Amino acid sequence: MIKGNVEGVRDSILAELNTIYSMTVEKGKLVSPEIVALMADITRMINREISVSIDRKGKVLEVAIGDSNSVELPILAISSKKLSGVKVIHTHPNGYSKLSMIDISALLKLKLDAILAIGVGETEITGINIGYCKIENQELTYEEIENLSLDKIMPIDYLDKVLEIESDLRKSDVVEDDSEYAIVVGVDSEESLDELEELARACDVSVAGRIFQKIKKIDNIFYIGSGKVRELALLRQIKNANLIIFDEELSGVQIKNLEAVTGCKVIDRTILILEIFARRARTREAKIQVELAQLKYRSQRLIGLGSIMSRTGGGIGTKGPGEKKLEIDRRRIKDEIFALKQELEKIKKIRALQRTKREGSGIPRVSLVGYTNVGKSTLRNLLVEMYPSDNTVKKEAVFAENMLFATLDATTRTMILPDKRITALTDTVGFVRKLPHDLIEAFKSTLEEVIFSDLLVHLVDASSDTVVQQIKSVENVLTELGAIDKPTILALNKCDIATEEQIRRLKELYNYMDIVEISAKNEINIDLLMDKITTSLPRTMKKVELLIPYSDSSVNAYLHRNAVIESESYEADGTLIVATVSDEIYNKCVNFIIKEI
């Protein structure tokens, strides 16, 4: 029975497909001219990929209709020391005979005897490429023989090649390398491309090379010029890379075209950031937010994400809701998005309730904001440890590491200010250039902590050469959130390794802001930062006179820990204290208050 679902397939096409089933290939030969001709004819008629699986005896095992993303492959028993005994011949309706990333992935993962890609043009076959497995440095990799004609393919006895490969397999202790090696491509700036490399490394991808091109006009087909695409394909081969990452957001069509020419999986900056978020998300809320952003992104690009969603794919882009077949329609994705939004709304209500309780307590709120990997989590851990409140557990430190997006989940803890006020300190997700809009939208429930804060501490890496651009990126996100006008302290972190010129330049550029130089790692000027936070936060303090009976000495101790004690004397009825207290402390000690001063 023919697999695939081609609407309106004529009886003649079905007849030709069934004819292929009845045909055989001479033992030792890759394919027959008759099968190739039939496959090419059908491909032209329906503009779909035709795939034929043939065993070593020349028997046709399976015929499938689809495209490079959804075509069926035979279920094979895979051995570590032998090939599968099956070769796959398939057409490329776009005319490119180059093996795609999915072709190569299928070749290696299924250990095919060979894979043949036939480029089908409007009137003729444009070329045939053959892919074989091979052993290189104890790793299973592949070799590709390109641009062959049918006349050159017919004399080949591929069984000799198969026996040679299997002999190498038996001799070798093959380690299959699932690592990803990328070529990064940029058109914006070298600095932005540098950051893309950092993002790639944050996703455990090794960067094998880079291409930068200044373009005046975006190419609708490839994004970059066709000449640059050929250069990219060549560099990819030279560097033996299996991934190409673009610094700009690509359309589904551009991804599909680039993969066809380069024979390699192609992703863009947005997919990479979404992948990092998917790997780092810990809480249910963060996971939902990431999945929501991924689904929104993919719903707009169903025609171009075949390599990412393919069942023979893997690696970046397949985390979270990935590995979904291309035939998932937009309606199903729309339903999933709706369900996730509903669940996120429930979490949002719980967060709003928690926020309302904090507001009722009168506790001022401080949010740490800044570019990713500037030291926010390190500073948060330090402040909570140095200025702990009664209900802060020191061991509850958030993950802080020298990598992009180490923190995704907003965490709020309380700490004691120098004037004894309790404040809520929130560490937020780091911002980055070109942060995907869908991701900002998805994380708005988390970023609302910024919106409702009384004070922002904008932490920057003063030693970075791109610090000004980083500050602009953060301010762009704050503008989108409607929080750009919040009272803000600009904290110049890593002041101990920044040059005097770097510090001076920042002070000149941002002389309208409250600035403090600090080092969270080496605990430099942390007390100065706390003084600035204390003076910048709105005051709701009251000066009161209290009489604490000697039988309630615990209240006396509580005031000493949490209030500013102005004076203290011992009277016959108890301890007479004059103190400056917050609304929370006022409410807790109201029964002991004699008067407000």
Side-chain angles (χ1 to χ4, degrees), residues 157-175:
D157 187 340
Y158 83 102
L159 287 180
D160 290 340
K161 182 76 172 177
V162 166
L163 293 174
E164 179 187 336
I165 296 166
E166 289 190 330
S167 174
D168 291 341
L169 274 172
R170 285 191 292 270
K171 294 175 186 175
S172 304
D173 185 15
V174 173
V175 177

Side-chain angles (χ1 to χ4, degrees), residues 177-306:
D177 185 9
D178 291 329
S179 303
E180 291 186 286
Y181 302 93
I183 303 296
V184 294
V185 184
V187 299
D188 182 4
S189 66
E190 293 284 359
E191 292 80 9
S192 185
L193 203 54
D194 291 340
E195 184 176 272
L196 187 68
E197 289 193 19
E198 287 297 316
L199 288 167
R201 280 189 275 271
C203 220
D204 302 321
V205 174
S206 300
V207 178
R210 60 192 281 163
I211 283 182
F212 180 77
Q213 181 187 34
K214 275 288 184 184
I215 57 175
K216 293 180 180 179
K217 185 180 178 182
I218 294 170
D219 185 276
N220 292 330
I221 299 174
F222 298 116
Y223 199 95
I224 56 176
S226 57
K228 211 67 174 177
V229 173
R230 288 192 290 273
E231 181 184 331
L232 175 61
L234 181 60
L235 181 63
R236 199 277 300 176
Q237 285 185 312
I238 293 171
K239 297 292 186 179
N240 200 27
N242 53 11
L243 178 66
I244 294 170
I245 310 174
F246 271 69
D247 195 31
E248 306 298 325
E249 197 167 284
L250 301 173
S251 70
V253 171
Q254 287 166 339
I255 290 174
K256 191 171 185 178
N257 291 335
L258 285 163
E259 287 184 344
V261 176
T262 61
C264 181
K265 179 165 67 175
V266 176
I267 67 171
D268 61 21
R269 185 187 185 95
T270 300
I271 293 176
L272 184 62
I273 292 175
L274 289 172
E275 176 71 18
I276 296 171
F277 272 55
R279 293 186 182 192
R280 303 275 167 78
R282 293 291 177 267
T283 66
R284 177 60 184 156
E285 182 179 16
K287 289 176 181 177
I288 291 172
Q289 289 165 333
V290 172
E291 188 170 353
L292 189 59
Q294 285 178 314
L295 287 171
K296 283 183 177 179
Y297 178 86
R298 291 175 181 179
S299 67
Q300 302 161 9
R301 294 168 173 79
L302 285 177
I303 62 169
L305 296 177

Side-chain angles (χ1 to χ4, degrees), residues 371-376 378-379 401-404 459-464 470 491-500 502-503 506 516-524 526:
Y371 210 70
T372 183
N373 201 31
V374 295
K376 293 188 302 299
T378 301
L379 179 61
E401 193 60 57
N402 183 26
M403 63 173 67
L404 303 185
L459 196 67
V460 303
D461 179 359
S463 66
S464 172
Q470 292 178 7
L492 309 183
N493 194 27
K494 306 182 185 180
C495 67
D496 49 334
I497 59 175
T499 64
E500 290 183 9
Q502 285 174 317
I503 297 290
L506 288 172
V516 58
E517 303 170 37
I518 69 165
S519 171
K521 183 178 180 181
N522 295 315
E523 302 182 16
I524 297 172
I526 302 302

Side-chain angles (χ1 to χ4, degrees), residues 21 23-25 53-62:
Y21 259 120
M23 301 173 78
T24 58
V25 176
S53 304
I54 305 171
D55 66 14
R56 291 180 187 174
K57 294 179 181 178
K59 180 182 177 183
V60 174
L61 302 176
E62 194 160 15

Side-chain angles (χ1 to χ4, degrees), residues 107-108 132-136 139-143 174 240:
L107 173 68
L108 298 178
Y132 292 110
C133 293
K134 73 172 183 177
I135 308 299
E136 192 173 273
E139 290 183 2
L140 184 65
T141 181
Y142 74 99
E143 62 176 308
V174 173
N240 200 27

Side-chain angles (χ1 to χ4, degrees), residues 73-79 82-86 88 104-113 133 311-312:
L73 292 171
I75 298 172
L76 303 172
I78 301 172
S79 166
K82 296 175 79 175
L83 297 177
S84 65
V86 173
V88 172
I104 295 164
S105 182
L107 173 68
L108 298 178
K109 289 182 181 295
L110 301 178
K111 289 190 171 69
L112 299 174
D113 283 3
C133 293
R311 68 186 175 91
T312 56

Side-chain angles (χ1 to χ4, degrees), residues 248-464:
E248 306 298 325
E249 197 167 284
L250 301 173
S251 70
V253 171
Q254 287 166 339
I255 290 174
K256 191 171 185 178
N257 291 335
L258 285 163
E259 287 184 344
V261 176
T262 61
C264 181
K265 179 165 67 175
V266 176
I267 67 171
D268 61 21
R269 185 187 185 95
T270 300
I271 293 176
L272 184 62
I273 292 175
L274 289 172
E275 176 71 18
I276 296 171
F277 272 55
R279 293 186 182 192
R280 303 275 167 78
R282 293 291 177 267
T283 66
R284 177 60 184 156
E285 182 179 16
K287 289 176 181 177
I288 291 172
Q289 289 165 333
V290 172
E291 188 170 353
L292 189 59
Q294 285 178 314
L295 287 171
K296 283 183 177 179
Y297 178 86
R298 291 175 181 179
S299 67
Q300 302 161 9
R301 294 168 173 79
L302 285 177
I303 62 169
L305 296 177
S307 302
I308 294 168
M309 296 183 185
S310 165
R311 68 186 175 91
T312 56
I316 288 183
T318 58
K319 189 77 174 175
E323 296 182 334
K324 294 178 184 289
K325 288 278 195 155
L326 193 65
E327 61 267 20
I328 293 179
D329 60 16
R330 284 182 173 85
R331 181 175 294 279
R332 180 175 167 187
I333 290 181
K334 186 178 179 181
D335 290 342
E336 289 186 44
I337 289 173
F338 179 78
L340 289 173
K341 281 185 174 179
Q342 292 289 96
E343 191 169 351
L344 204 56
E345 195 63 32
K346 292 177 184 176
I347 297 173
K348 185 178 178 180
K349 288 178 181 177
I350 296 171
R351 187 183 288 279
L353 186 62
Q354 294 170 339
R355 188 183 301 115
T356 301
K357 287 182 179 178
R358 286 201 299 270
E359 288 173 353
S361 69
I363 297 176
R365 291 151 297 176
V366 179
S367 285
L368 296 176
V369 298
Y371 210 70
T372 183
N373 201 31
V374 295
K376 293 188 302 299
S377 295
T378 301
L379 179 61
R380 178 266 187 201
N381 290 340
L382 178 63
L383 292 179
V384 169
E385 183 178 348
M386 290 179 66
Y387 302 91
S389 66
D390 286 344
N391 58 347
T392 296
V393 182
K394 290 187 179 182
K395 69 179 180 180
E396 289 183 339
V398 295
F399 179 64
E401 193 60 57
N402 183 26
M403 63 173 67
L404 303 185
F405 299 118
T407 302
L408 289 189
D409 306 299
T411 56
T412 300
R413 297 291 181 268
T414 56
M415 64 178 185
I416 295 289
L417 296 174
D419 65 0
K420 301 298 180 70
R421 280 185 293 168
I422 295 176
T423 185
L425 180 68
T426 299
D427 182 21
T428 61
V429 60
F431 304 146
V432 72
R433 296 183 197 191
K434 307 170 191 172
L435 193 64
H437 177 76
D438 286 337
L439 206 51
I440 296 174
E441 281 294 313
F443 272 77
K444 266 190 175 174
S445 60
T446 299
L447 294 171
E448 277 179 357
E449 295 298 323
V450 174
I451 300 170
F452 291 99
S453 292
D454 298 300
L455 175 69
L456 304 181
V457 176
H458 183 171
L459 196 67
V460 303
D461 179 359
S463 66
S464 172

